[in-house]
Structures are given as structure tokens and as C-alpha cells.
Amino acid sequence: MKADLLYEGKAKRVHEAKDQPGKLVLSYKNDATAFNGKKKATFSGKGRLNNEISSRIFRLLHDYGTETHFIKQLNETEQLVQQTEIIPLEVVVRNQASGSITGRLGLDENTQFNPPIIELFYKNDELGDPLINDDHALVLSDVTGNELKEIKEKALEINHQLQKVFQTINITLVDFKIEFGRLASGCIVLADEISPDTCRLWDITTQEKLDKDVFRQGTGDLLAVYREILKRLEEIS
């Protein structure tokens, strides 16, 4: 199903889809990284969990009418997706304060944001994915002002949809990072993945963290919390 390796990132390998022009195969790895790759580990089965979780979330988003690159799950660790030209912006939507924003702005963790806050980061490993503003985004990427507005509107709508999904399974969506890409038609769609690697997810009742922060902070069993997310999603998808 997959052909040449095009790119290997921290969490996934990207292959051409054999005999399917315009399509790619994403292969999820067992690697976990944090702090821009300074902390690394390998967890047997993590790739399967992230693929299962992200596939289910993309299917749920499709049910809400969100356009994404996702086509279908191929097997335990691989997805078939539309090829996109990734826009080099990481879009972070924050419903509550946690992570880097608490140190940057002196906010207490769990400070509520209403409306949600959108932050942009320049997708560049060598620079450490720096926080940027809209003007920087227009210089560093090929998006237009109207496209940047569209990306932000899409991000807020995805946030609204994801909040509904996670509330159904007793989870607070604290924040998440997403990426967008252009299809051959020029249409901008949601790309990459949505998983506990890219979201902060807290149990509503216990406030237990059910995401990669347990690895970042060394406070829990990463595979156990990812299995818990998948178990809850299986109840609704």
C-alpha cells in the first residue's frame, strides 16, 4: 500500500501511497518526544494507540462536516490521507491555561479563556517552533491575510466540535495543536493528527491528566492514559 518514504518526523513516517497519486500513507511510530526533542523515549504500542485515536477523532469531525486530509485507517498503525502542502504554522487553541502560556504570561494553571485564545507558532525545528504573531505568519508562510483568517475560523470551529466530543466522554479539552494543509485544488483542510500527543485532556471529575503531559512531567504511565482515551472514544465512535 505504501511506496517511497517522503519524510520522517518525531511521531510519524510519511510515505507515498503505492499506485494512488495524490495520496499518502501516515505510519505512526512508537516514539515519544518532549521539549523540542530534548526528552525522548519509545513505548511499544504507542503508534497503534495514536493511530486508532486520531482516526476515530477525524471520523467524528467528518460527521460534523469538517474537511480534513483523512481518508481511512488502513491497519493498526497506518492511515491513508490526501496529500497536502503543509502550511508551516502550528495553530494552538487554548480553552484553559496550561503548559508554556502559564510561564510566558504568569497565569495560574486552569485559568479559563472565554473566548478561547489562538496562538501561532512557526513550524521550524531548528528555531524551536517560535511563537509568532499574524504579521510574522504572513512573512514566514505563503498564506494571505484572508487565508489566515480562514485558518483561525476553522480552528475555533474544530475546537467547538472537539469540546462536544470530549465532554461526551467526561473529558475537558484544555488545549490542542493542529496543522493545516492545501489540497491540490488549493482548499485548506485540517491535516496532521489529533491525539493525546497534540492535546491536553483532563478528566472532568478527577482532573487527572490523560495526555502526553504524563510523559513530559514524569507523573504517570503514558500507555495507560492513551488506552483510557481510546477506551472512552470506542464508546461513542
Side-chain angles (χ1 to χ4, degrees):
M1 186 66 179
K2 61 188 179 186
D4 293 341
L5 177 68
L6 298 178
Y7 170 77
E8 181 167 356
K10 299 184 184 79
K12 294 184 292 297
R13 297 182 183 90
V14 181
H15 294 261
E16 290 182 337
K18 190 174 181 180
D19 300 324
Q20 296 191 65
K23 296 181 175 60
L24 303 174
V25 175
L26 301 188
S27 180
Y28 284 73
K29 298 162 58 176
N30 289 328
D31 298 342
T33 63
F35 310 117
N36 289 322
K38 294 177 183 177
K39 183 175 184 179
K40 301 178 182 178
T42 300
F43 297 88
S44 179
K46 175 180 177 288
R48 179 188 71 82
L49 290 166
N50 268 4
N51 183 43
E52 294 275 2
I53 291 167
S54 191
S55 295
R56 289 175 184 275
I57 291 174
F58 272 115
R59 288 195 292 266
L60 288 166
L61 288 174
H62 285 180
D63 290 343
Y64 283 116
T66 299
E67 294 180 288
T68 83
H69 73 160
F70 179 81
I71 299 172
K72 64 180 179 178
Q73 182 177 343
L74 296 173
N75 52 47
E76 286 191 343
T77 60
E78 294 178 335
Q79 299 172 2
L80 183 68
V81 302
Q82 297 281 357
Q83 185 169 9
T84 66
E85 177 191 359
I86 294 295
I87 296 167
L89 301 174
E90 296 182 345
V91 182
V92 175
V93 182
R94 299 185 184 274
N95 298 305
Q96 298 176 201
S98 188
S100 65
I101 196 171
T102 60
R104 282 188 281 112
L105 300 183
L107 298 171
D108 292 333
E109 186 169 74
N110 204 28
T111 298
Q112 304 290 310
F113 300 133
N114 188 17
I117 287 176
I118 294 180
E119 293 185 323
L120 301 176
F121 294 81
Y122 180 41
K123 188 174 168 63
N124 186 305
D125 287 341
E126 292 183 1
L127 297 176
D129 300 332
L131 176 67
I132 60 175
N133 62 29
D134 288 11
D135 290 335
H136 296 147
L138 296 176
V139 170
L140 295 170
S141 72
D142 61 351
V143 295
T144 66
N146 285 338
E147 286 175 330
L148 189 58
K149 180 182 177 183
E150 177 187 351
I151 285 170
K152 289 185 175 184
E153 289 173 349
K154 286 179 182 288
L156 289 175
E157 181 59 28
I158 291 165
N159 180 52
H160 178 65
Q161 295 162 356
L162 290 177
Q163 283 184 306
K164 289 193 289 186
V165 168
F166 285 116
Q167 285 171 359
T168 301
I169 55 176
N170 201 45
I171 288 173
T172 297
L173 177 62
V174 176
D175 61 36
F176 62 96
K177 174 189 74 69
I178 50 178
E179 297 179 20
F180 291 90
R182 285 192 185 86
L183 298 173
S185 65
C187 179
I188 294 175
V189 299
L190 176 65
D192 196 43
E193 68 177 286
I194 297 179
S195 74
D197 272 11
T198 61
C199 303
R200 283 192 172 89
L201 306 168
W202 296 352
D203 183 273
I204 290 175
T205 304
T206 66
Q207 297 299 295
E208 178 187 5
K209 294 181 178 180
L210 301 172
D211 56 64
K212 197 168 72 170
D213 271 355
V214 301
F215 170 67
R216 289 187 186 97
Q217 300 167 2
T219 57
D221 183 336
L222 180 141
L223 290 180
V225 300
Y226 283 36
R227 289 191 198 103
E228 179 63 22
I229 293 296
L230 178 57
K231 176 185 172 183
R232 297 191 195 189
L233 283 171
E234 286 173 340
E235 296 173 359
I236 62 170
S237 62

